[in-house]
Amino acid sequence: MLAYFKVIRPFNLLMIIFIGYLIRYALIAPVLAEVNLQPYLSFTGFTLMLGSLVLLAAGAYVIN
């Protein structure tokens, strides 16, 4: 079980999550606020999208 946990590289997956939220709230949100627009995805939608991206990356790590 520990070997499988090492294969999915949890630190890299956490970095994907961190960078995803950083891009949304540090880059996209301020730009949209400048032109008085709201993000298209809600927080829940964005979280689900980011979760699917993390699962896709974990699957790719296992295949690789």
Side-chain angles (χ1 to χ4, degrees), residues 16-52:
I16 290 172
I17 293 170
F18 175 71
I19 291 170
Y21 281 111
L22 188 66
I23 287 172
R24 178 177 175 142
Y25 291 110
L27 292 176
I28 295 173
V31 170
L32 291 177
E34 287 283 326
V35 292
N36 296 324
L37 292 174
Q38 296 293 325
Y40 182 73
L41 284 175
S42 65
F43 177 77
T44 305
F46 181 75
T47 303
L48 288 173
M49 182 192 69
L50 197 56
S52 66

Side-chain angles (χ1 to χ4, degrees), residues 4 15 27 60:
Y4 183 73
M15 290 303 295
L27 292 176

